[in-house]
Structure formats: structure tokens, C-alpha cells
């Protein structure tokens, strides 16, 4: 159910109190070295804003010239992460975010991921890390009805996923904190567009290894920072997704790290992990630059009726362009996913 004007007005007081001193306090000091390889040679990859929620703030992604790792710099503090995540997966944005993972398109994508793992194993117990509302386990269970799916996430959504029967057990918290308590419990651990959200991907991978039984498999899908689409669209590329995405790991870096942790990489590919949304999201982000603001609590004032009407008039006027962009995404999908324009990659690794 959409939030009412009264609910938004009530939240506005709290948001404006947080924003009274600006957004600088949400950031840690800028790093002078790469968080992946510790190399000192960095360059600015791009500067951008929050295109999705339109919360205030400016964000910078740096690229390591030694290993190609791309990361948010300066990085958000825990207070900053709490601020920018709030009302996205839970609260005001919960309904919209849930709809993003529903529908036939998402289910087909999730089931392709399951089928990618089946040549190597048919897990008895599967942990989905970053499960949110549990849409992946719900889809995967249709192909693996005898598999027990558990979910892990920081937010309240994982508890809702358990209540709705999408997962058997809900783990609320961070994998790095909970892994010891589930050591060797799982035959499969999945991380679908999760690692890019984490503060320390090295520790997350080590924790996933702990949760896996010997011979268990880790399935990872993440945005590809080497995608040519990302270079072409710049800060309009959806997978940069600032400020939530903190780390972007080149494929070779991830495979090398997994090998060093005692995994054998059994599959690494870009083709099947591509998600055809790049063009439609870029058009929406462009439109966001000219749209009058929506009624959101992080805006200082409620928009006037005239501004509200103008916003929806522009959205309807832009609808043909959005539909055309989405159609182009689908039309180009078979070609892009077989090229370096693919926007994501998948790695499957076995714990030895």
C-alpha cells in the first residue's frame, strides 16, 4: 500500500533533522589505496547522484589502476548506509522493491541461475544470502522441490519471507557475523547481486566458505565493472546504483580470490547473467533530471499541486520513450549477453 501524505509528512520531520547539517557526515575519510589489492594508484571512474530514490548527496567511484577494482570513495559510514537504505527495501519503498523481483521475467532469470548449478550438484540445503523478500528461493523451489531453502538478510524483509513460506529459516544479520554458527551446514550458498553491497567482499567470501560443507558450491552473480555498456552510459548505467553499491569486482579478481580461499572455479561466464534493463533505466534516469520532485520525506517541502500534475504529465509524455527503450533492451538482449556489453557475470565455485 502506498504511503499517505500524512505518513510522509510525519517522516519528513525526522529526515530533515538528519539532513540539517548536510550529508558530509555520512562518509568516511577518502581511501588512498585499493580495498581489494591495496594498490596506491587510483583514478576517478565517475561522479554521480542517487538516481533511484533521489536522496541528496554526491558519490564518487574510483578505479584501481593495478587490479581494475572499482569502489565507492569516500565510502558511506554505517550511519550513511542506514540513511540511504532506509525506505528502500523496507518502509516506504518496500512495496515497489518487492514488485521489482516479482513477475515472469524475474522468475525466468532466477531459474536460469538454478539450472546453471544443476550440472554440478543438486543441493539438499541452500542458503540464499541477501535474499530480501525471498523471491529467488520461491522460484528455485519450483525446480528443486526437495531442497530446503534458507535466507539471510539485514532487513525485516527476510522475516516476512519466512512468514510467507518462501524460505524455511530466516537469518537476520550479516553473514560475516553468523557464518560460524552455521559452519558446514549448506550444500549451496548463493549471492545474487549481493557482494557489490558489502563493506568487505574478502570477508564475505571467507564466511560463505565457512557456511558450506566440503564439496559444497558457491553461486555468485554481480555487475560487471568491465562491461562496455557501463562505459557507454557512464553514470546513467543502472548497475553503478549509487550509493548502495560499494564494490565492483572484475571477473578475474573474483576467480583468483576464490582459488586462494580453497575453491575450485567450475564455471565463469557473462552470457547468462545479463539483465536487459540498461536502456530503459538510463532513459528513466535522464527523465529524473527534469521531473519535478515527487512527494518524499527527504525533500524539504511537499510539492505543490501544480508540480505534482506537471510531474505526471511528463511521465505520461515520456511513456513511449520508456517503452521503446525497454523494447530495445529485449530486442538486443540475445546479442548483448554474448558480448562484452553484458552487464553482469556469474561464477560457480566448489569448496574443496
Amino acid at each position: 500500500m502506498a504511503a499517505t501524505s500524512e505518513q510522509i509528512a510525519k517522516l519528513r520531520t525526522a529526515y530533515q533533522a538528519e539532513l540539517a547539517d548536510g550529508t558530509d557526515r555520512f562518509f568516511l575519510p577518502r581511501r588512498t589505496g585499493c580495498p581489494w589489492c591495496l594498490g596506491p594508484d587510483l583514478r576517478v571512474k565517475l561522479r554521480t547522484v542517487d538516481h533511484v530514490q533521489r536522496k541528496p548527496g554526491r558519490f564518487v567511484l574510483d578505479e584501481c589502476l593495478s587490479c581494475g577494482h572499482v569502489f565507492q570513495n569516500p565510502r558511506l559510514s554505517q550511519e550513511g548506509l542506514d540513511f540511504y537504505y532506509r525506505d528502500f527495501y523496507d518502509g516506504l519503498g518496500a512495496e515497489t522493491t518487492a514488485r521489482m523481483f516479482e513477475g515472469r521475467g524475474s522468475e525466468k532469470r532466477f531459474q536460469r541461475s538454478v539450472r546453471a548449478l544443476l550440472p554440478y550438484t543438486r543441493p539438499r540445503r541452500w542458503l540464499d544470502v541477501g535474499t530480501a523478500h525471498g523471491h529467488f528461493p520461491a522460484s528455485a523451489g519450483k525446480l528443486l522441490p526437495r531442497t530446503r531453502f534458507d535466507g539471510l538478510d539485514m532487513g525485516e524483509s527476510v522475516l516476512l519471507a519466512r512468514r510467507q513460506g518462501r524460505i524455511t529459516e530466516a537469518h537476520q544479520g550479516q553473514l560475516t557475523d553468523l557464518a560460524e554458527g552455521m559452519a558446514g551446514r549448506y550444500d549451496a550458498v548463493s549471492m545474487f547481486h549481493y557482494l557489490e553491497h558489502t563493506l568487505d567482499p574478502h570477508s564475505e567470501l571467507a564466511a560463505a566458505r565457512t557456511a558450506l560443507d566440503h564439496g559444497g558450491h558457491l553461486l555468485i552473480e554481480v555487475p560487471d565493472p568491465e562491461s562496455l555498456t557501463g562505459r557507454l552510459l557512464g553514470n546513467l548505467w543502472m548497475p553503478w546504483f549509487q550509493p548502495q553499491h560499494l564494490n565492483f569486482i572484475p571477473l578475474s579478481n573474483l576467480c583468483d580470490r576464490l582459488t586462494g580461499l580453497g575453491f575450485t572455479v567450475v564455471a565463469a561466464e557473462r552470457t547468462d547473467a545479463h539483465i536487459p534493463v540498461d536502456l530503459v533505466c538510463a532513459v528513466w534516469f535522464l527523465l529524473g533530471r527534469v521531473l519535478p520532485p515527487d512527494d518524499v520525506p527527504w525533500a524539504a517541502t511537499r510539492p505543490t499541486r501544480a508540480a505534482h500534475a506537471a510531474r505526471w504529465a511528463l511521465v505520461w509524455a515520456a511513456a513511449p520513450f520508456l517503452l521503446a527503450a525497454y523494447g530495445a533492451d529485449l530486442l538486443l538482449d540475445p546479442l548483448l549477453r554474448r558480448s562484452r556489453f553484458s552487464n553482469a557475470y556469474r561464477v560457480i565455485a566448489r569448496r574443496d
Side-chain angles (χ1 to χ4, degrees):
M1 181 181 297
T4 65
S5 298
E6 290 75 16
Q7 290 172 318
I8 293 173
K10 187 175 181 179
L11 289 171
R12 180 171 283 118
T13 301
Y15 268 105
Q16 295 310 309
E18 284 187 284
L19 290 168
D21 295 324
T23 59
D24 288 348
R25 63 191 177 86
F26 292 147
F27 294 88
L28 298 174
R30 186 179 182 280
R31 290 186 64 108
T32 58
C34 172
W36 188 266
C37 74
L38 305 182
D41 297 324
L42 308 177
R43 70 172 179 183
V44 174
K45 179 79 171 179
L46 62 88
R47 303 177 191 273
T48 189
V49 296
D50 180 353
H51 286 297
V52 179
Q53 286 186 292
R54 309 298 295 182
K55 286 185 175 180
R58 294 191 173 274
F59 313 97
V60 179
L61 292 179
D62 277 357
E63 181 179 23
C64 175
L65 298 180
S66 298
C67 73
H69 187 78
V70 177
F71 62 101
Q72 188 184 85
N73 195 23
R75 185 177 68 72
L76 289 173
S77 64
Q78 188 58 56
E79 183 182 13
L81 290 168
D82 292 342
F83 176 83
Y84 286 104
Y85 269 83
R86 192 183 314 141
D87 290 312
F88 189 84
Y89 296 98
D90 300 304
L92 291 180
E95 184 178 346
T96 300
T97 301
R99 285 200 300 266
M100 289 169 54
F101 299 100
E102 294 174 344
R104 187 177 179 184
S106 292
E107 181 161 299
K108 288 173 65 177
R109 176 165 62 88
F110 291 147
Q111 292 188 354
R112 282 201 305 269
S113 301
V114 176
R115 291 190 180 97
L117 187 63
L118 294 185
Y120 309 102
T121 184
R122 284 185 173 266
R124 292 169 295 124
R125 297 195 65 171
W126 187 321
L127 175 66
D128 186 39
V129 181
T131 197
H133 294 86
H135 291 293
F136 169 74
S139 297
K142 296 177 182 179
L143 295 178
L144 294 171
R146 296 183 179 179
T147 300
R148 169 184 167 135
F149 288 91
D150 296 342
L152 183 151
D153 210 293
M154 287 285 294
E156 297 287 334
S157 57
V158 68
L159 304 179
L160 178 62
R162 182 185 61 192
R163 291 196 295 269
Q164 294 180 337
R166 294 187 178 124
I167 56 176
T168 301
E169 185 175 355
H171 302 282
Q172 187 178 16
Q174 295 183 341
L175 178 63
T176 50
D177 295 332
L178 301 176
E180 289 295 333
M182 56 181 75
R185 185 185 303 181
Y186 294 100
D187 306 305
V189 171
S190 54
M191 295 176 166
F192 294 107
H193 291 269
Y194 166 79
L195 270 183
E196 62 268 30
H197 291 263
T198 62
L199 304 175
D200 183 0
H202 290 301
S203 297
E204 299 287 342
L205 295 172
R209 184 182 185 278
T210 298
L212 281 167
D213 194 5
H214 295 285
H217 287 75
L218 176 60
L219 173 58
I220 297 172
E221 294 183 13
V222 289
D224 185 356
E226 299 172 299
S227 169
L228 295 180
T229 307
R231 298 182 189 179
L232 181 66
L233 295 178
N235 64 13
L236 297 177
W237 192 49
M238 175 62 181
W240 293 133
F241 195 24
Q242 290 302 291
Q244 295 197 20
H245 287 181
L246 307 179
N247 289 284
F248 298 84
I249 311 166
L251 176 57
S252 59
N253 286 11
L254 183 58
C255 291
D256 289 346
R257 180 59 180 166
L258 289 169
T259 300
L261 285 170
F263 286 91
T264 295
V265 176
V266 298
E269 56 87 21
R270 293 178 166 92
T271 301
D272 208 32
H274 177 71
I275 305 173
V277 296
D278 290 335
L279 295 179
V280 68
C281 287
V283 172
W284 177 252
F285 293 163
L286 276 174
L287 181 62
R289 294 178 177 179
V290 299
L291 282 177
D294 200 1
D295 187 12
V296 289
W298 43 90
T301 59
R302 182 180 178 182
T304 64
R305 290 185 179 181
H308 181 75
R311 176 182 175 85
W312 283 105
L314 283 170
V315 169
W316 280 107
F321 298 98
L322 291 165
L323 290 172
Y326 183 57
D329 277 324
L330 297 180
L331 183 64
L332 294 171
D333 181 33
L335 297 175
L336 297 184
R337 67 174 52 248
R338 289 173 173 79
S339 73
R340 293 302 295 272
F341 286 93
S342 173
N343 59 19
Y345 67 79
R346 175 190 298 137
V347 172
I348 301 174
R350 181 184 65 249
R351 180 187 172 182
D352 297 329

